[in-house]
Amino acid sequence: MQPVREDGEQGEGQGAGRHAGQGAGQDGGGPYGNGDGPGPYRYRRGPYGNGRAYRAGSGALDPATRSRRSDVASAGERRVGWALRWLPATLILVGAVFYWATPQGVTSSPFFESAPLVAAGLLSLRATVVTAVAAVVVDVLLEVFNGTADYSESIIEMISQCVIGALAIGMNVLIRRNYRRLASVRHVAVAAQRAVLPNPPAGFGALRVAARYQAADADARIGGDLYAVQEGPYGVRCIVGDVRGKGLEAVESVAVVIGAFREAAEEEPGLDGVARRLERALQREETGRSGLDRVEGFTTAVLAEVDRDGGALRLLNRGHPAPVLLGSDGAARMLQPYEHALPLGMGDLGTWPDELTEVAFPPGASLVLFTDGVTEARNQEGVFYDPLEHLDGRVFDGPHELLDTLLDDVTRYTGGRVADDMALFALSRSRKPSGQPPAEPSRAHAP
């Protein structure tokens, strides 16, 4: 999935919107910038402290639409591709001109010999054959018209040209065969991603859902980032996580986590029970591994739960980047846990109660969860991307616009140099009239 178009620009003072809940005594406001919230949720409005907020997007965006930066890159790639397709013919033409413009004894064979080799890697089999034949024919005609076709040096050059042309045709056959195999592997990777990370439902009642996955490598399709959502008797539950490691073993762990989550989300009455089920599933899966992956295999994750009536939001964080809660007025706050917990799969180091954080989830609010590919994205100066700073004061039509804008913002911030995969998930509650202000977050330890 590629990022979509950008929808607006940041206001002045962009660096001012910081989360102020990292220590006691910092200046801040309430959960939406106008109160005296205690502890980690003290909040200070950033670039939109005057209450202004602008809307990002006025309707549904096509997830396949590329950002402006991607459109420019694609146009440049098309121009380069057009030039490369005509490069073999250009080499033959330059060789002919070089032959007539230089004195006798100066050979132009490098131009004729390189033309079919270039065509072998860029053009089809038919075009490669035409290029090889054209290079030989032009070379022979030039020698005949110049009266040097019977010279030993000319004969050797023409034979060499025929041999190189035949080699170029063989190279093209091998390249095309390998390309077909690579295309088949990519199709399998796409099918695997759809099986492991299917598109979530559009929503559940008053809740709307969206998910995005962007690989750091444009040719990659699957990795260690994950997301899933499940509706059950206890409400709508979702998970966003990041498996340590890369490759197929990471994908195996992703499948284990998602499978265990879907089962536990319907059976466990609390998020702490879901976390314990995931812990046991990962421990069983890691027994089949060897080496470092068996000792240090783990998964960072955030579990979220929304009541069936959508009024309350509960979170359980296992060593994962904190999600961001957006109010209906655009005010943003980061839901940091009071106490950080170890990731899933590291239960051998100790056991203690999981911390559950509960906050209000009023109409028009949105929750966005993401992996460390977002928070560890850097600009040219090496400064990490701050999702709280860039989302504060922005109002979105729904979860799709929220994730599309966030992905495009990260791409612009890094200059297109995304170093890690990014999985994003958003929950939005439909707007309804409500005069009740959101309550302060409460914390509790699960029994």
Side-chain angles (χ1 to χ4, degrees):
M1 181 222 48
Q2 299 293 334
V4 301
R5 69 177 190 268
E6 62 185 76
D7 297 281
E9 299 178 355
Q10 287 284 14
E12 296 181 358
Q14 190 175 25
R18 299 282 183 179
H19 173 55
Q22 297 174 354
Q26 291 178 324
D27 294 335
Y32 285 85
N34 58 358
D36 300 318
Y41 292 103
R42 294 178 65 86
Y43 179 80
R44 174 161 50 90
R45 287 301 297 271
Y48 303 91
N50 57 0
R52 290 187 303 106
Y54 66 89
R55 184 171 301 279
S58 58
L61 299 179
D62 183 2
T65 305
R66 294 178 179 267
S67 66
R68 292 177 183 174
R69 181 179 301 275
S70 298
D71 286 337
V72 173
S74 298
E77 290 175 358
R78 287 193 294 269
R79 288 192 294 269
V80 172
W82 181 88
L84 291 177
R85 284 194 295 271
W86 286 100
L87 181 58
T90 303
L91 289 172
I92 296 176
L93 178 61
V94 171
V97 174
F98 185 85
Y99 183 90
W100 286 110
T102 56
Q104 188 172 348
V106 179
T107 179
S108 61
S109 60
F111 295 97
F112 299 119
E113 293 173 354
S114 60
L117 294 177
V118 172
L122 298 177
L123 305 180
S124 64
L125 176 60
R126 179 180 298 178
T128 302
V129 172
V130 171
T131 302
V133 172
V136 173
V137 170
V138 172
D139 190 17
V140 171
L141 290 177
L142 289 174
E143 298 292 350
V144 170
F145 291 154
N146 197 40
T148 57
D150 57 344
Y151 288 9
S152 59
E153 293 85 355
S154 300
I155 296 175
I156 293 175
E157 288 181 1
M158 289 184 287
I159 294 176
S160 176
Q161 181 64 49
C162 294
V163 173
I164 292 178
L167 291 176
I169 295 173
M171 289 172 56
N172 184 271
V173 172
L174 294 177
I175 290 173
R176 295 298 161 185
R177 182 181 301 172
N178 291 334
Y179 177 81
R180 287 192 294 269
R181 291 177 179 175
L182 178 59
S184 177
V185 171
R186 287 179 177 174
H187 288 312
V188 172
V190 171
Q193 185 196 29
R194 291 176 179 174
V196 177
L197 296 177
N199 292 328
F204 306 91
L207 296 176
R208 289 181 290 170
V209 176
R212 297 289 185 272
Y213 188 99
Q214 179 173 317
D217 184 355
D219 294 328
R221 293 295 183 269
I222 52 179
D225 292 2
L226 63 96
Y227 58 80
V229 61
Q230 187 72 28
E231 184 181 32
Y234 306 103
V236 176
R237 290 172 171 174
C238 63
I239 181 175
V240 171
D242 189 358
V243 174
R244 178 196 173 275
K246 303 289 184 181
L248 293 179
E249 288 189 346
V251 177
E252 292 174 1
S253 296
V254 168
V256 170
V257 171
I258 292 179
F261 168 77
R262 294 194 182 281
E263 180 180 357
E266 290 195 359
E267 298 178 358
E268 295 292 338
L271 289 180
D272 56 309
V274 177
R276 288 194 295 268
R277 293 275 288 269
L278 296 178
E279 186 85 37
R280 291 195 296 269
L282 283 172
Q283 288 178 348
R284 288 194 302 267
E285 189 263 345
E286 287 168 3
T287 56
R289 294 189 177 189
S290 61
L292 187 63
D293 286 331
R294 180 174 183 178
V295 177
E296 297 186 359
F298 60 85
T299 299
T300 65
V302 172
L303 297 168
E305 174 186 279
V306 180
D307 285 340
R308 298 189 67 85
D309 59 1
L313 169 67
R314 284 175 285 274
L315 296 172
L316 190 153
N317 195 322
R318 283 295 198 96
H320 198 77
V324 173
L325 180 64
L326 296 172
S328 58
D329 63 347
R333 51 175 170 155
M334 189 164 282
L335 302 180
Q336 292 280 4
Y338 284 83
E339 296 180 5
H340 293 275
L342 290 176
L344 298 169
M346 301 185 71
D348 294 339
L349 299 180
T351 58
W352 47 83
D354 281 310
E355 176 189 309
L356 301 179
T357 301
E358 182 171 348
V359 298
F361 198 52
S366 297
L367 177 72
V368 56
L369 306 97
F370 37 77
T371 56
D372 58 5
V374 174
T375 56
E376 294 182 0
R378 304 190 188 193
N379 60 10
Q380 294 181 351
E381 289 73 28
V383 179
F384 288 109
Y385 180 83
D386 185 354
L388 179 63
E389 174 184 327
H390 291 265
L391 290 176
D392 180 37
R394 309 177 78 167
V395 178
F396 302 90
D397 288 333
H400 291 281
E401 290 78 6
L402 169 58
L403 297 187
D404 291 338
T405 304
L406 181 58
L407 275 175
D408 184 73
D409 202 29
V410 173
T411 302
R412 288 189 291 111
Y413 185 81
T414 60
R417 298 180 301 274
V418 179
D420 195 5
D421 295 352
M422 293 186 292
L424 302 94
F425 190 89
L427 283 170
S428 297
R429 187 180 176 192
S430 299
R431 299 174 183 271
K432 295 179 181 179
S434 177
Q436 298 295 329
E440 285 295 317
S442 62
R443 58 176 176 148
H445 287 283

